[in-house]
Amino acid sequence: MGKALMVVVTLVLVAGAAALLFVLLEPAESMPQPQPSTLARPGARPATPAAPAVPPTTAPLGPSQAPMMAKTISPDEVKRWMESGRDFAFIDVREPEEFEKWRIPGAILVPIEPKNTFGQRLRRIVPNQNRDVVLFCRSGRRSDTAALMLRDFGYQKAYNMGGIIDWDYTTEGADE
């Protein structure tokens, strides 16, 4: 009897592990895909229409199924905003050491870390939740997280510009 119980327990554990792997290794095509920017860079190839970010379903998506990507804006559009004098907050969410080495003139440093105080620190700088807020980091990952956090804090005009590595305009810093 003890041996049979051991076999049953082993089978249950193997089945549970297989089910967990099935969930973790879900095919990539079922995951939301990022959409390319609608604004082309000078000299870039024309954009081709992209497939929908979420596969069509027979029922509308609920809030928990919505893709988790922030609104995006291209560096070229941000540059146009700067040149036109548009009022917006330009926020660098990298660490102070990164900001010291390489920064975009006019950007304000508000590190995303620690995340539990990011919203409070940003509210001091941008108290108006209706103001446009453009965020960037090195590559775009932290700024996407920051833009989503701001959306949750009530900032409906928070945009992820991506990374400073995509900025083709004037920069400054200790490494120049």
Side-chain angles (χ1 to χ4, degrees):
M1 174 101 174
K3 195 172 191 180
L5 180 62
M6 206 166 194
V7 169
V8 170
V9 169
T10 302
L11 289 174
V12 169
L13 289 174
V14 168
L20 180 61
L21 282 174
F22 179 77
V23 170
L24 292 175
L25 300 175
E26 184 176 4
E29 59 269 3
S30 68
M31 300 298 289
Q33 299 297 315
Q35 294 297 305
S37 172
T38 57
L39 299 172
R41 305 188 109 192
R45 292 181 297 183
T48 57
V54 178
T57 61
T58 55
L61 293 176
S64 65
Q65 296 170 313
M68 291 302 294
M69 285 188 55
K71 294 178 189 175
T72 60
I73 187 169
S74 72
D76 296 328
E77 184 66 15
V78 173
K79 181 68 171 165
R80 284 192 284 276
W81 283 13
M82 289 175 159
E83 291 169 346
S84 72
R86 184 172 178 153
D87 179 39
F88 69 100
F90 195 33
I91 308 295
D92 185 335
V93 299
R94 298 175 303 151
E95 293 299 311
E97 302 79 31
E98 294 173 283
F99 185 80
E100 182 63 31
K101 289 181 180 179
W102 189 25
R103 63 189 163 276
I104 300 172
I108 300 166
L109 178 65
V110 182
I112 192 171
E113 296 294 342
K115 287 185 178 102
N116 64 336
T117 62
F118 175 70
Q120 297 166 344
R121 290 179 283 126
L122 190 98
R123 279 191 187 116
R124 282 188 230 126
I125 294 166
V126 187
N128 179 357
Q129 292 181 330
N130 293 315
R131 187 174 181 200
D132 290 310
V133 180
V134 175
L135 303 119
F136 71 94
C137 59
R138 189 191 72 76
S139 66
R141 179 174 276 182
R142 288 175 285 179
S143 53
D144 189 63
T145 300
L148 290 171
M149 289 171 69
L150 289 186
R151 183 180 70 185
D152 291 344
F153 296 145
Y155 290 81
Q156 296 304 311
K157 297 179 181 180
Y159 302 91
N160 176 15
M161 183 192 82
I164 192 171
I165 61 176
D166 299 318
W167 185 257
D168 293 332
Y169 307 101
T170 304
T171 59
E172 56 190 23
D175 287 348
E176 289 190 17

